[in-house]
């Protein structure tokens, strides 16, 4: 208990979720590693999280989720880019996403403080892993002859008015200051809910479609590059 007292609250949450977080990372890598190069699969990933982020931004106080973190508009811009202007008319959240929202609504009714767990893990995930995924996509565009070469479709991960470092530091401080004011029982509930965040994220990530097609397409690009390299090498040695 003494060591817990010396630890910041965000650190406690990270330590308590390390194992399930690793499972989540492994799932993302296994599910989306090659699929990152496929815009249809990327759009699928955006769709499953769109409703979750929108709900939090509509229901969590600006004390914990100021407007500079809000991403609903950016989600919609990217989804319009990938799916067309009529994407909302066609959009029907899948069962797993609806179950996620129902869980958030239950928390909102019973103890809205617990929504802070979702704010911390989802937005820090976007500011960390989300940035890495976008960088991988940007790199892949250089080798994909069919990919858009502009910055369109990357609004979600673009924070033009604030540095990523600044946003992370502010988020940690906000949650740590909040944790200092909590009783032990509420802190334990938040830590338990933190694990639930990753469990529910994993469930919706599993629903992403088109991964096998994307993997085959990506392997095709890789083979094309290898063949082109071998031909070039052969011609240079003649």
């Amino acid at each position: 208990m003494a060591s817990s007292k010396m630890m910041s609250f965000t650190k406690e949450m990270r330590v308590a979720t390390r194992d399930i977080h690793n499972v989540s990372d492994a799932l993302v890598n296994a599910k989306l590693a090659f699929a990152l190069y496929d815009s249809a699969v990327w759009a699928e990933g955006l769709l499953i999280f769109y409703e979750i982020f929108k709900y939090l931004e509509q229901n969590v106080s600006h004390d914990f989720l100021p407007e500079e973190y809000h991403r609903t508009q950016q989600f919609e811009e990217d989804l319009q880019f990938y799916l067309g202007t009529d994407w909302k008319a066609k959009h029907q959240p899948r069962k797993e996403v609806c179950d996620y929202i129902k869980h958030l609504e239950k928390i909102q009714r019973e103890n809205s403080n617990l929504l802070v767990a979702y704010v911390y893990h989802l937005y820090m995930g976007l500011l960390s892993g989300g940035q890495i995924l976008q960088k991988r996509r940007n790199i892949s565009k250089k080798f994909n002859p069919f990919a858009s070469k502009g910055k369109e479709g990357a609004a979600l991960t673009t924070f033009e008015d604030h540095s990523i470092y600044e946003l992370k530091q502010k988020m940690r401080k906000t949650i740590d200051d909040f944790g200092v004011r909590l009783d032990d029982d509420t802190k334990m509930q938040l830590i338990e809910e933190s694990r639930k965040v990753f469990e529910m994220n994993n469930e919706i990530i599993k629903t992403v479609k088109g991964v096998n097609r994307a993997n085959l397409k990506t392997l095709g690009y890789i083979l094309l590059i290898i063949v082109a390299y071998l031909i070039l090498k052969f011609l240079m040695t003649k």
Side-chain angles (χ1 to χ4, degrees), residues 8-19 21 120-121 124 172 176 191 194 198:
S8 70
F9 186 49
T10 53
K11 176 69 172 177
E12 285 186 64
M13 289 198 291
R14 290 198 302 276
V15 169
T17 58
R18 187 172 291 154
D19 59 334
H21 194 167
Y120 176 69
H121 291 295
M124 287 297 283
R172 289 193 188 102
D176 283 336
I191 288 173
S194 290
F198 292 102

Side-chain angles (χ1 to χ4, degrees), residues 154-165:
L156 178 63
T157 51
T158 303
F159 294 82
E160 294 181 346
D161 298 326
H162 302 273
S163 74
I164 299 299
Y165 175 80

